[in-house]
Amino acid sequence: MASISSSPRTVEEIFKDYAARRAGIVRALTIDVEEFSNLCDPEKENLCLYGHPNETWEVNLPAEEVPPELPEPALGINFARDGMNRRDWLSLVAVHSDCWLLSVAYYFGARLNRNERKRLHSLINDLPTVFEVVSERKAIKEKASTDSGSRSRGSIKKTGDVQVKSTAKTADESCDEDEEEHGETLCGRCGGNYNADEFWIGCDICERWFHGKCVKITPAKAEGIKQYKCPSCSLKRSRP
């Protein structure tokens, strides 16, 4: 864990830390779910799920020092592993993880003023909770990731200065290629996976990708946008 002296201090830094820790936890409960489940051995002591600022996750024992450097995640997530339906267990861990992520964010944000706290809350609230991502999945896909910002992936159509993921394919092979290349992208609004049959648009400010339907942008509307700003970035820019 980062030392207090190097901890995030501004709203943007705290949100970046929150989003990265959230990304690691989402990965643990979706993409790496088998590895995560195996690590949560009920025969071991109280275990916790940590998300780290580099978007990785870790199952480990709680910190020994009292009080700990940061708020601690829920203890003993491993004990319920074999006593519940897996999806229910993952959803339970997700709920506790959401609580932990908020507690860490507001721990770092203890010195923010009222308006800064409101802005931080708004940024956090624009992302789906870990629980929403985990509980709404009908099946956990192998190809998924919380890296929703890359603009270097193939099949990107440039319209003015706005980049959107193209849904047009000329052959089955290109469709397969597109799914493979973009399959790791998640919508910055709903957390859903990339689908070649759906229209996507990328924010030119935060560089996250969104389902067009989630941000109410159609392909036709995108044609007339020179620089697209997602709802979160539009809100940030409109504040004094």
Side-chain angles (χ1 to χ4, degrees), residues 11 29 34 75 78 83 100-101 109 134-135 141 162 173 196 219 225:
V11 171
L29 300 180
E34 290 300 330
L75 298 174
N78 50 313
W100 177 69
L101 288 168
V134 171
S135 64
K141 298 182 179 181
V162 178
E173 182 179 348
I225 301 175

Side-chain angles (χ1 to χ4, degrees), residues 115 118-120 122 232-240:
N115 287 335
K118 286 175 67 175
R119 187 150 57 92
L120 175 61
S122 178
S232 175
C233 291
S234 295
L235 181 64
K236 284 190 292 183
R237 298 280 166 156
S238 65
R239 293 180 182 271

Side-chain angles (χ1 to χ4, degrees), residues 28-29 31-44 47 57 59-60 77-79 81-82 86 89-90:
L29 300 180
I31 306 166
D32 302 338
V33 66
E34 290 300 330
E35 181 184 354
F36 168 70
S37 180
N38 290 336
L39 289 172
C40 290
D41 186 348
E43 298 301 318
K44 295 182 179 179
L47 294 175
W57 60 272
V59 170
N60 209 336
I77 58 172
N78 50 313
F79 296 145
R81 187 193 70 180
D82 297 339
R86 173 177 278 197
W89 173 63
L90 292 173

